[in-house]
């Protein structure tokens, strides 16, 4: 693994542990899906930022576009990818390129894909042929933002970057790409990955609210394919070799230690240049797929993973699976990290989310956020509705443990764990 990869991965861990407060997970209609629970050797690969109609770098494929090379490789292994595409970055000017090898190489103020002043070679708006091919070959397309502009501030990495900053602007951006895919291809997008995983916005909303507005789930990843980070080696051939090794060796070591390691996982890749303006993914993807094939894995779309199980901690063998699978389509019963935590005692806020209609829970909280401009408790709307209906006393604390259930809505329970309450809920 190259030095820059090691530093990058270590830096991300430090930022998460020291510089950023631990994320609090609440019940949510939108869940951050990183992996699902399954014993089957299936996994997904996602490819951000494309499609890209520029050649591989260095070009060893006769001028063929990077996206075509990725599709050729996937087809050879019978694998299905999930392409997290952008729309068009040609409006992201005026700007200038940052230093190659830095996070700002593709633009100091904005992102430009595939590169500065070559916007017409990247994105769904300009690549009808590539989008048609992706869909015709059975791959999935998800929404990575029309202009690929971050939702909020990211001072430690992108301090000078322009950001959208509000729910309405973020929704407007996603809707533009969503409409393009529907109008031009009749394709309904169901998943979204926020640009650079920036979630918080300055108006009190988050990317989870954006997904709720769009009817999307939040697609994340559980394993970094590493093809986006550059080597610091000065020799181009040595640098490319180091970058490819950084993609393959962690995967090899993980499988040698645990052959079931990738069951249900989502692997992150990039359909574009890395920060060194090379495309190690064009060479490393084959090696990764060879490894997965050797261990009996099938690479499927994220939608296929979710059809196997939509949960991170509950599989099809659990007696409550079918009930909760149906329930999660209408009510917020799953945490924003996609876990159910069935052994935990249910809180009053969580009970409110089970009982309140989705439009009431979301609409009331959104109205409160718009009034204050500040983040409101995730359960505020649901609890307000439940208090109005006489299902919970007004003034009940969201974190208070449940000690009684509304009459007529539940069968008798022996305890108030989430498993017992969900099992007893009469949701016919």
């Amino acid at each position: 693994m190259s030095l820059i990869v090691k530093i990058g991965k270590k830096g991300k861990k430090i930022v998460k542990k020291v510089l950023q407060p631990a994320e609090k997970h609440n019940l949510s209609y939108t869940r951050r899906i990183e992996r699902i629970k399954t014993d089957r050797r299936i996994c997904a690969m996602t490819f951000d930022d494309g499609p890209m109609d520029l050649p591989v770098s260095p070009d060893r494929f006769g001028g063929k576009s990077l996206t075509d090379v990725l599709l050729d490789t996937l087809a050879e292994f019978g694998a299905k990818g999930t392409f997290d595409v952008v729309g068009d970055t040609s409006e992201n000017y005026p700007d200038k390129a940052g230093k190659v090898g830095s996070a700002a190489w593709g633009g100091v103020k904005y992102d430009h894909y595939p590169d500065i002043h070559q916007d017409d070679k990247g994105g769904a708006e300009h690549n009808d042929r590539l989008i048609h091919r992706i869909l015709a070959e059975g791959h999935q397309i998800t929404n990575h933002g029309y202009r690929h502009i971050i939702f909020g501030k990211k001072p430690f990495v992108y301090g000078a970057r322009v950001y959208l900053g509000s729910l309405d602007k973020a929704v407007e951006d996603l809707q533009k790409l969503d409409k393009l895919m529907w109008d031009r291809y009749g394709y309904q997008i169901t998943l979204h990955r926020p640009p650079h995983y920036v979630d918080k916005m300055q108006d009190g909303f988050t990317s989870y609210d954006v997904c709720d507005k769009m009817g999307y789930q939040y697609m994340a990843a559980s394993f970094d394919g590493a093809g986006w980070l550059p080597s610091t080696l000065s020799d181009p051939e040595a640098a490319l070799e180091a970058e490819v090794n950084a993609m393959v060796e962690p995967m090899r070591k993980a499988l040698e230690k645990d052959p079931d390691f990738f069951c249900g996982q989502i692997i992150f890749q990039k359909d574009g240049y890395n920060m060194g303006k090379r495309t190690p993914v064009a060479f490393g993807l084959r090696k990764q797929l060879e490894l997965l094939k050797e261990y009996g894995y099938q690479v499927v779309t994220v939608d296929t993973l979710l059809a196997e199980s939509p949960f991170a901690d509950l599989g099809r063998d659990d007696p409550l699976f079918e009930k909760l699978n149906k329930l999660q389509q209408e009510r917020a019963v799953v945490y924003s990290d996609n876990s159910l935590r069935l052994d935990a005692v249910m809180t009053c806020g969580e009970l409110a989310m089970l009982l309140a209609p989705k439009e009431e829970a979301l609409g009331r909280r959104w109205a409160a956020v718009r009034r204050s401009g500040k983040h409101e408790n995730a359960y505020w709307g649901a609890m307000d509705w439940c208090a109005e209906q006489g299902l919970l006393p007004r003034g009940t604390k969201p974190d208070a443990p449940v000690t009684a259930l509304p009459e007529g809505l539940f069968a008798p329970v022996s305890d108030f764990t989430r498993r017992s309450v969900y099992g007893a809920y009469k949701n016919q």
Side-chain angles (χ1 to χ4, degrees):
M1 183 183 293
S2 66
L3 177 62
I4 191 67
V5 172
K6 292 179 181 178
I7 294 173
K9 288 181 177 292
K10 187 174 182 179
K12 284 170 70 177
K13 291 179 180 178
I14 292 173
V15 168
K16 285 182 178 180
K17 290 182 178 180
V18 179
L19 300 178
Q20 293 180 342
E23 182 179 357
K24 182 179 180 181
H25 295 287
N26 302 292
L27 293 189
S28 176
Y29 300 99
T30 293
R31 290 110 60 189
R32 182 183 170 106
I33 298 165
E34 299 183 350
R35 66 182 303 168
I36 59 98
K37 184 173 177 58
T38 180
D39 294 329
R40 295 177 57 200
R41 290 191 181 178
I42 56 174
C43 63
M45 282 192 171
T46 64
F47 300 88
D48 275 18
D49 303 336
M52 175 167 140
D53 198 24
L54 283 176
V56 168
S57 177
D59 182 12
R60 293 171 185 166
F61 295 87
K64 187 177 292 187
S65 82
L66 173 62
T67 301
D68 279 315
V69 170
L70 298 181
L71 290 169
D72 289 348
T73 308
L74 290 168
E76 184 178 338
F77 287 87
K80 301 300 180 185
T82 300
F83 287 81
D84 194 33
V85 306
V86 301
D88 175 26
T89 57
S90 62
E91 296 180 45
N92 295 356
Y93 291 95
D95 200 3
K96 61 181 181 179
K99 181 181 179 182
V100 172
S102 74
W105 74 269
V108 174
K109 292 173 62 179
Y110 298 94
D111 268 322
H112 303 267
Y113 288 96
D115 196 2
I116 294 279
H117 301 302
Q118 296 190 85
D119 306 83
D120 62 339
K121 298 295 184 181
E125 190 70 60
H126 304 289
N127 287 286
D128 181 69
R129 178 188 67 82
L130 289 173
I131 294 293
H132 269 298
R133 183 180 176 191
I134 290 169
L135 296 178
E137 296 182 10
H139 306 288
Q140 184 176 0
I141 287 178
T142 64
N143 196 327
H144 199 36
Y146 188 83
R147 292 174 62 190
H148 198 261
I149 298 177
I150 54 179
F151 286 0
K153 295 179 181 179
K154 194 171 186 179
F156 297 113
V157 181
Y158 296 118
R161 279 276 165 92
V162 172
Y163 56 89
L164 295 174
S166 75
L167 174 66
D168 294 339
K169 289 181 179 179
V171 168
E172 181 182 5
D173 179 80
L174 296 193
Q175 283 176 335
K176 195 169 182 179
L177 181 54
D178 190 274
K179 186 175 188 299
L180 184 157
M181 290 302 303
W182 179 254
D183 290 350
R184 195 178 292 179
Y185 307 101
Y187 186 82
Q188 183 64 65
I189 292 178
T190 60
L191 296 169
H192 164 58
R193 177 176 284 156
H196 300 293
Y197 291 116
V198 179
D199 293 329
K200 292 183 179 180
M201 294 177 287
Q202 282 57 53
D203 61 349
F205 291 101
T206 73
S207 60
Y208 292 85
D209 296 303
V210 175
C211 286
D212 282 336
K213 279 279 191 182
M214 294 296 301
Y216 290 162
Q217 289 297 338
Y218 184 140
M219 182 180 72
S222 51
F223 189 85
D224 188 350
W228 58 280
L229 281 168
S231 168
T232 56
L233 297 176
S234 58
D235 179 74
E237 287 299 318
L240 179 63
E241 181 180 359
E243 289 163 359
V244 172
N245 286 339
M247 291 181 64
V248 177
E249 290 310 307
M251 180 177 285
R252 185 190 310 279
K253 291 177 180 178
L255 287 167
E256 288 174 351
K257 185 176 181 180
D258 178 9
D260 292 322
F261 179 82
F262 286 99
C263 289
Q265 290 216 46
I266 299 174
I267 301 168
F268 175 85
Q269 307 281 18
K270 184 177 173 68
D271 183 7
Y273 296 136
N274 70 8
M275 290 187 287
K277 298 191 73 171
R278 290 179 291 270
T279 57
V281 66
F283 310 97
L285 177 61
R286 173 180 299 278
K287 295 176 180 292
Q288 290 181 330
L289 291 174
E290 286 173 346
L291 266 175
L292 290 169
K293 181 179 179 181
E294 178 184 340
Y295 282 85
Y297 280 87
Q298 181 183 7
V299 177
V300 301
T301 65
V302 175
D303 267 355
T304 300
L305 279 188
L306 293 175
E308 171 71 14
S309 172
F311 312 117
D313 59 348
L314 191 78
R316 288 186 167 273
D317 56 343
D318 193 283
L320 270 185
F321 178 84
E322 291 298 337
K323 182 173 186 177
L324 287 168
N325 191 21
K326 292 179 181 178
L327 197 56
Q328 60 89 19
Q329 297 173 35
E330 299 179 355
R331 302 296 168 99
V333 296
V334 191
Y335 286 93
S336 53
D337 65 355
N338 204 32
S339 67
L340 282 158
R341 309 182 196 180
L342 294 179
D343 294 332
V345 174
M346 181 170 280
T347 67
C348 291
E350 293 164 359
L351 178 62
M353 293 295 279
L354 172 64
L355 298 177
K358 180 178 181 179
E359 62 273 13
E360 293 287 351
L362 290 177
R364 292 178 184 228
R365 189 178 67 82
W366 286 340
V369 174
R370 288 189 186 280
R371 286 194 299 268
S372 68
K374 299 179 180 179
H375 179 75
E376 293 286 350
N377 185 279
Y379 306 146
W380 190 94
M383 295 197 71
D384 187 59
W385 182 86
C386 284
E388 190 176 276
Q389 303 302 312
L391 298 173
L392 286 172
R394 182 73 69 179
T396 300
K397 299 296 184 183
D399 294 335
V402 171
T403 57
L405 297 171
E407 293 183 7
L409 299 178
F410 296 87
V413 295
S414 57
D415 57 50
F416 294 100
T417 61
R418 291 166 51 76
R419 177 179 289 278
S420 294
V421 174
Y422 289 143
Y425 180 52
K426 299 176 181 179
N427 61 318
Q428 290 78 15

